[in-house]
Amino acid sequence: MTSLLESYEQQYSTLTADITHLIGKISTSHGVEKQGHVRQVEKLFEEAAELLEQMDLEVKEQPGKDRQKYQTRVKSYKTELSKLQTDVRRAKLGLDSREDILGDDSHDAEDQRTRLLENSERLERVGRKLDHGYRTAIETEQLGSTILEDLHTQRQTIQRGRSRLEDMNAALGKSSRVLTGMMKRVIQNRILLVVIGLIMVVTICVAIYLIVRRT
């Protein structure tokens, strides 16, 4: 498991190096090119944040001494990532070049920089909340669509089952009518046999009576 953490650390080191390189490009680029670099660095920040989450999970599985050591490392990585995010905000606003022009002793420039950073952070927080809300809405819509599809499938299954039951009921009804007709015919045949038997008995009795009387 330690080797896995070391692999995570190597990946994190590579990501932060790429982020630092892109921050330099953001500071020196403009327009569409700058926007492209900003999108790239935002993706790298997302990957780095996910990587730190994986590291947190792995650290929890470590024994006591190693766990404390890696927890300290992960905390420092998070602090470093936060500083890099601040550097990105500075680069997007072009604050480094302003410092060179105005100098460190300009109080107004410092106040302006602070306000710009605060406004930028607020905008980014609002943007993240909007993105999160949008993703939640999309996921909810997808979930609702899936549920509706499942309900539609279940409804079709129930309708097919009901149709089969109706067909079975119709077949049973037809069979019942056939059996009833057969029973009626059997009863009629038995009554006819009884009547024929009685007629034969009466005929035989009459014939015997006549024969006896003649003698």
Side-chain angles (χ1 to χ4, degrees), residues 42-206:
E42 287 176 350
K43 290 181 180 179
L44 291 178
F45 273 120
E46 291 178 359
E47 293 179 11
E50 292 176 358
L51 188 60
L52 290 177
E53 290 179 0
Q54 293 295 326
M55 291 176 69
D56 275 330
L57 295 175
E58 292 297 329
V59 167
K60 292 178 181 179
E61 301 297 328
Q62 295 292 319
K65 183 184 296 185
D66 290 339
R67 184 189 308 155
Q68 185 176 2
K69 178 181 66 175
Y70 281 109
Q71 282 176 341
T72 303
R73 288 188 185 180
V74 172
K75 185 177 180 180
S76 67
Y77 293 153
K78 290 180 179 179
T79 302
E80 180 187 7
L81 193 64
S82 178
K83 291 179 179 179
L84 288 174
Q85 289 174 333
T86 301
D87 292 341
V88 169
R89 288 192 290 270
R90 290 174 181 271
K92 286 193 291 185
L93 296 173
L95 295 178
D96 290 339
S97 59
R98 289 180 183 176
E99 286 179 359
D100 293 337
I101 296 172
L102 298 175
D104 295 335
D105 296 332
S106 176
H107 185 268
D108 293 338
E110 183 66 25
D111 290 341
Q112 184 180 9
R113 180 179 65 181
T114 301
R115 288 194 297 271
L116 286 171
L117 284 174
E118 290 176 352
N119 292 334
S120 176
E121 289 175 354
R122 291 193 193 99
L123 289 173
E124 288 189 0
R125 285 196 297 270
V126 172
R128 286 195 295 270
K129 289 180 180 178
L130 289 174
D131 289 340
H132 179 70
Y134 178 74
R135 287 195 298 269
T136 301
I138 293 297
E139 291 173 357
T140 303
E141 183 180 358
Q142 291 175 348
L143 179 60
S145 178
T146 301
I147 292 174
L148 288 176
E149 290 178 358
D150 291 340
L151 290 174
H152 180 68
T153 302
Q154 293 176 6
R155 180 181 178 184
Q156 289 181 334
T157 302
I158 292 172
Q159 288 179 342
R160 288 195 296 269
R162 182 181 298 172
S163 178
R164 286 195 292 269
L165 286 175
E166 290 175 353
D167 293 339
M168 290 176 63
N169 287 333
L172 289 173
K174 184 177 180 180
S175 300
S176 177
R177 289 193 296 271
V178 172
L179 288 173
T180 301
M182 292 176 64
M183 290 297 296
K184 287 181 179 179
R185 285 193 293 272
V186 169
I187 293 171
Q188 290 173 353
N189 291 335
R190 288 185 178 180
I191 293 173
L192 181 60
L193 288 174
V194 170
V195 171
I196 293 173
L198 289 175
I199 293 173
M200 291 180 64
V201 171
V202 171
T203 302
I204 292 171
C205 290
V206 171

Side-chain angles (χ1 to χ4, degrees), residues 21-40:
H21 179 66
L22 283 172
I23 290 173
K25 288 187 175 182
I26 292 172
S27 300
T28 57
S29 60
H30 302 280
V32 177
E33 183 182 1
K34 185 172 185 176
Q35 293 176 1
H37 294 326
V38 170
R39 286 193 292 270
Q40 290 178 10

